[in-house]
Amino acid sequence: MSSVQVAVVTGSNKGIGLAVVRALCRQFPGDVYLTSRDPGRGQAAVAQLQQEGLRPLFHQLDIDDLQSIRALRDFLRDKYGGLDVLVNNAGIAFKVHDTTPFAVQAEVTLKTNFFGTRNVCTELLPLVKPYGRVVNVSSMVSSSALRGCSQELQQKFRSDTITEEELVQLMAKFVEDTKRGVHEKEGWPNTAYGVSKIGVTVLSRIQARLLNEQRKGDHILLNACCPGWVRTDMAGPKATKSPEEGAETPVYLALLPSSADAPHGQFVSDKTVKPW
Ligand code: NAP
């Protein structure tokens, strides 16, 4: 088994994820895995970074596919005995003018952004080694969507005692409420992407709390973050940040030094802890 440190970035064949891999290849003292659901797109991205003189490694990962997640988990356990850095970056968003029915957008968006990310965490967090760093890429949109929730929902999402099971039930309820056409009556904002990212931010708060309760001596730091508004296929060419600038906050959180005990369980934007 290798004693080399290892970092994994989900959804890193393009956009912010690719820029995070590029930065980690330069700064992380270990193996860096570029992952992609499509091996062809992943290998092309690896070749692009190799052209730049960098040496990323590749592993397939579709966060919608539990078998794919478990194959990566087994690979990391067998080859490295665990994992040092996990950046949960993979995500999707329907375009603003997409005419797909809202209930379908809700189901598809929550499937990847919340349930897929959660499945990766469920399978990989137990592998994270002492002093490991976990970064869940959320969005400022999670904050604005939170403010668009009913007072009752806001209270639940800000609670310091909400459990992962309760969060999962709420995310599933949002999807069901959109199917029945009652999501606004039930206190939800009119944004599937926003609700999915509420889920990512709240999940991060819960996971950090569990790490405090169950693995305090391991000094693992886990945070949610917003990369900013970044020029990628998702956000388009008018966004204000380059992918490299968008990668700065996730990379900062991924490389927090072993002497750091904060931030942990926070929502971080521009390397600054934001109120939730
Ligand atoms: P992007 O250019 O569209 O890249 C998204 C990446 O996620 C792609 O590599 C995509 O792979 C991958 N992905 C999607 N579904 C996946 C799945 N089921 N399994 C594995 N990989 C999957 O978007 P981006 O702007 O870089 O976004 C990266 C993250 O930042 C997302 O979580 C996004 O919500 C968040 N974010 C972005 C912005 C922004 O302004 N861009 C702002 C706030 C937050 P394929 O190539 O196969 O589709």
Side-chain angles (χ1 to χ4, degrees):
M1 194 184 295
S2 171
S3 60
V4 169
Q5 289 191 52
V6 58
V8 169
V9 184
T10 72
S12 48
N13 54 283
K14 67 178 184 179
I16 296 163
L18 178 61
V20 170
V21 168
R22 179 182 284 117
L24 288 180
C25 282
R26 292 184 177 136
Q27 298 174 56
F28 177 72
D31 288 351
V32 180
Y33 279 83
L34 185 155
T35 68
S36 172
R37 55 181 160 183
D38 180 86
R41 285 197 288 275
Q43 295 290 4
V46 166
Q48 185 188 332
L49 293 183
Q50 284 172 343
Q51 291 284 322
E52 300 171 22
L54 302 172
R55 292 281 168 269
L57 298 161
F58 176 73
H59 203 284
Q60 193 273 347
L61 176 65
D62 181 345
I63 71 165
D64 290 345
D65 176 358
L66 205 46
Q67 275 192 355
S68 167
I69 298 172
R70 288 182 174 157
L72 175 63
R73 175 201 63 188
D74 293 347
F75 169 80
L76 291 168
R77 193 188 48 213
D78 296 347
K79 183 161 165 74
Y80 297 94
L83 175 63
D84 297 285
V85 168
L86 171 62
V87 181
N88 278 305
N89 164 81
I92 59 160
F94 283 82
K95 300 290 179 210
V96 179
H97 297 297
D98 194 304
T99 55
T100 305
F102 188 66
V104 176
Q105 294 199 18
E107 182 156 41
V108 171
T109 306
L110 272 280
K111 182 182 175 184
T112 299
N113 294 5
F114 177 72
F115 291 103
T117 300
R118 177 189 180 235
N119 285 341
V120 173
C121 290
T122 303
E123 300 299 332
L124 296 191
L125 285 190
L127 260 65
V128 174
K129 293 182 178 178
Y131 297 94
R133 305 294 182 239
V134 182
V135 186
N136 294 331
V137 180
S138 183
S139 169
M140 287 304 276
V141 175
S142 69
S143 302
S144 51
L146 179 68
R147 291 192 294 275
C149 289
S150 66
Q151 285 303 321
E152 192 189 340
L153 280 174
Q154 287 192 38
Q155 207 173 14
K156 287 181 179 165
F157 290 133
R158 290 199 175 100
S159 158
D160 288 330
T161 53
I162 184 174
T163 64
E164 192 168 324
E165 289 67 34
E166 286 165 343
L167 176 63
V168 165
Q169 278 172 17
L170 282 168
M171 292 292 115
K173 181 176 185 303
F174 169 69
V175 175
E176 286 310 309
D177 287 348
T178 64
K179 286 183 184 164
R180 295 193 296 126
V182 297
H183 65 281
E184 285 179 295
K185 193 171 135 274
E186 292 292 311
W188 296 102
N190 213 19
T191 158
Y193 180 78
V195 171
S196 77
K197 292 299 190 181
I198 290 177
V200 173
T201 303
V202 176
L203 181 67
S204 309
R205 288 161 56 87
I206 294 168
Q207 289 166 340
R209 204 177 68 216
L210 290 176
L211 285 169
N212 288 345
E213 289 167 13
Q214 297 165 2
R215 298 186 60 185
K216 188 70 186 163
D218 284 348
H219 306 281
I220 295 166
L221 298 178
L222 181 153
N223 292 284
C225 73
C226 177
W229 190 31
V230 185
R231 289 186 295 278
T232 62
D233 287 350
M234 181 181 288
K238 289 188 186 147
T240 47
K241 287 187 180 181
S242 67
E244 279 59 44
E245 289 167 332
E248 280 177 20
T249 292
V251 169
Y252 152 74
L253 292 171
L255 297 178
L256 285 168
S258 57
S259 56
D261 57 6
H264 177 57
Q266 301 291 344
F267 178 63
V268 180
S269 178
D270 285 329
K271 301 186 193 172
T272 309
V273 172
K274 300 291 174 190
W276 175 246

